[in-house]
Amino acid sequence: MAMMEEILPTRGYSIPLVDLDGDEGRHVVVDREEGQYLGHVSTQLLEDGKTILAVYPKGHGRGPIVYKRSTDGGRTWSDRLPTPENWATSREVPTIHRVIDPKSGAKRLIVWSGLYPARLAVSEDDGSSWSELQPVGEWGGIVVMGFVERLRDGTYLAMFHDDGRFIASKNQAANPRVFTLYQTFSHDGGLTWSEPGTVWSGSDLHLCEPGCARSPDGKSLAVLLRENSRTRNGYVIFSDDEGQTWSPPRELPASLTGDRHTMAYGPDGRLFISFRDTTHDSPTKGDWVGWVGTYDDIVQGREGQYRIRFKDNKNRWDTTYPGVDVLPDGTFVVTTYGHWDEGEQPYILSARFTLDELDKRAGLRD
């Protein structure tokens, strides 16, 4: 990985902002229930290029898992689908991931549910049926999992964080609070997972909610991190050896400062990242935003090309644990929750766009 030039992070950004908040027809309601909090959504696009599965809790960060399907690339969504009985006992935000068995080639879907103990549900038929949530070990954590990344040898790497409260059966929280990033590996296509190992730990920074991008050449991983003390920008760590070792955390530009970074590449090799805006100086602070740039922008500490506001959140912070999916034609389908109407409970929206479309809005092309 090339060394970056020294660029000191700022509290604000200078790149253009594309505002899609008022676009008629841009947003699709995935789910809404009068008086009920719906939040923290996670999605997975299947290999047919049009089926998207979504899971999310009935409640803030915890509650029964709701499950829905779109069969037309996010334009319309099913009614709520049946789920195993103990999905109603989920205590944390669910996350859904595609995994492939490295020996048999069998494709599976897995749904994680965190806190202690971390639990896992498995589908062997592309989400038509599911197992109940089962503990994966004598450990737990927060936002289990931030991401699940397939490594070059077919192993899966997953990462989460904890502040001492949920990593073990007994509360181990310290004062001052210590945040720890953990990683775990699966060698059998997501069925079993290793005892978590520490990636980073500290109390001076509160690093959490990891989101991962692999470099275009496939040789390195970048993990973007939320900084929860709100005193610094977001951070990034890098690995050049498939997660065996990680660089020290480095502060990100303000343009990438936010919570719950979720990302995917567009057809031209540029990177799109969706997140909650927690930039210190930003006209869209607390809103559902995105960023367009390159992997090298992250390596070099550059601001990127432009930002996007997808929707104005009527709460000062509570929004955007996002799903990001890219259809075969290059259309992005991004899905999240937020307080979209003043005084109402949050609900789930989806939005569609292409990078070419956003480039024109940002003034990068005619």
Side-chain angles (χ1 to χ4, degrees):
M1 184 175 61
M3 295 298 292
M4 65 166 284
E5 58 183 294
E6 183 66 20
I7 300 176
L8 295 177
T10 62
R11 292 175 68 85
Y13 56 89
S14 62
I15 55 176
L17 174 67
V18 177
D19 195 344
L20 306 181
D21 177 60
D23 281 19
E24 186 175 350
R26 172 76 61 183
H27 305 92
V28 172
V29 176
V30 176
D31 198 0
R32 186 175 187 180
E33 180 180 341
E34 184 72 24
Q36 174 63 56
Y37 187 114
L38 299 175
H40 305 82
V41 68
S42 174
T43 65
Q44 177 65 55
L45 175 69
L46 300 187
E47 285 77 3
D48 65 4
K50 59 183 181 181
T51 300
I52 303 174
L53 306 179
V55 292
Y56 46 94
K58 291 185 74 171
H60 178 80
R62 63 182 299 162
I65 296 174
V66 181
Y67 177 43
K68 278 201 167 194
R69 177 188 293 114
S70 171
T71 57
D72 56 8
R75 295 183 185 276
T76 62
W77 291 83
S78 69
D79 293 335
R80 295 176 183 174
L81 300 172
T83 57
E85 185 174 355
N86 85 338
W87 282 29
T89 67
S90 178
R91 300 178 58 223
E92 235 256 335
V93 299
T95 65
I96 186 170
H97 311 271
R98 165 66 85 198
V99 288
I100 301 173
D101 192 300
K103 293 182 179 179
S104 69
K107 294 179 179 179
R108 300 186 181 101
L109 291 164
I110 57 175
V111 166
W112 285 97
S113 176
L115 300 191
Y116 181 89
R119 293 183 292 168
L120 189 70
V122 178
S123 173
E124 303 278 2
D125 55 10
D126 281 349
S128 295
S129 62
W130 289 90
S131 73
E132 293 205 332
L133 292 165
Q134 299 290 341
V136 295
E138 295 297 321
W139 52 269
I142 302 170
V143 187
V144 177
M145 296 292 175
F147 67 86
V148 174
E149 177 70 21
R150 192 174 195 222
L151 303 181
R152 291 196 291 263
D153 66 356
T155 297
Y156 282 90
L157 160 66
M159 196 176 286
F160 64 99
H161 77 276
D162 193 56
D163 59 8
R165 290 179 293 165
F166 306 109
I167 190 63
S169 58
K170 293 184 178 180
N171 189 328
Q172 299 177 4
N175 188 15
R177 186 184 299 186
V178 175
F179 274 61
T180 302
L181 295 176
Y182 293 98
Q183 64 182 9
T184 175
F185 296 90
S186 175
H187 303 284
D188 59 4
L191 297 178
T192 62
W193 293 82
S194 66
E195 191 73 14
T198 298
V199 173
W200 173 91
S201 188
S203 59
D204 53 334
L205 300 170
H206 291 177
L207 302 183
C208 56
E209 294 182 359
C212 185
R214 183 176 288 276
S215 63
D217 65 7
K219 294 181 179 179
S220 66
L221 300 171
V223 171
L224 279 67
L225 298 159
R226 165 178 176 168
E227 203 292 292
N228 205 50
S229 75
R230 309 305 190 196
T231 59
R232 307 292 291 272
N233 291 349
Y235 275 73
V236 63
I237 57 176
F238 297 95
S239 176
D240 292 329
D241 55 11
E242 297 294 273
Q244 296 304 305
T245 61
W246 292 91
S247 67
R250 193 192 75 209
E251 197 167 3
L252 286 163
S255 58
L256 276 166
T257 292
D259 296 351
R260 198 61 174 95
H261 301 84
T262 307
M263 56 209 78
Y265 282 99
D268 63 3
R270 284 182 296 167
L271 192 60
F272 166 79
I273 307 175
S274 181
F275 53 96
R276 174 195 299 163
D277 186 7
T278 61
T279 307
H280 297 283
D281 298 328
S282 172
T284 58
K285 190 169 186 177
D287 292 342
W288 175 17
V289 301
W291 174 94
V292 173
T294 66
Y295 187 90
D296 194 54
D297 287 335
I298 298 173
V299 172
Q300 301 298 335
R302 297 189 296 254
E303 286 192 291
Q305 290 186 304
Y306 53 87
R307 266 191 169 201
I308 311 100
R309 177 168 73 164
F310 289 102
K311 200 66 181 169
D312 179 18
N313 180 42
K314 301 304 193 293
N315 180 282
R316 67 184 182 90
W317 63 273
D318 186 22
T319 181
T320 315
Y321 274 47
V324 176
D325 301 289
V326 187
L327 305 184
D329 66 357
T331 298
F332 281 77
V333 181
V334 290
T335 309
T336 199
Y337 81 103
H339 297 253
W340 311 128
D341 296 301
E342 197 76 49
E344 299 291 332
Q345 291 283 8
Y347 58 96
I348 314 295
L349 284 181
S350 186
R352 299 164 61 90
F353 64 91
T354 65
L355 293 185
D356 285 346
E357 173 191 11
L358 296 186
D359 287 350
K360 293 175 183 177
R361 296 276 290 264
L364 299 188
R365 61 179 70 186
D366 296 330

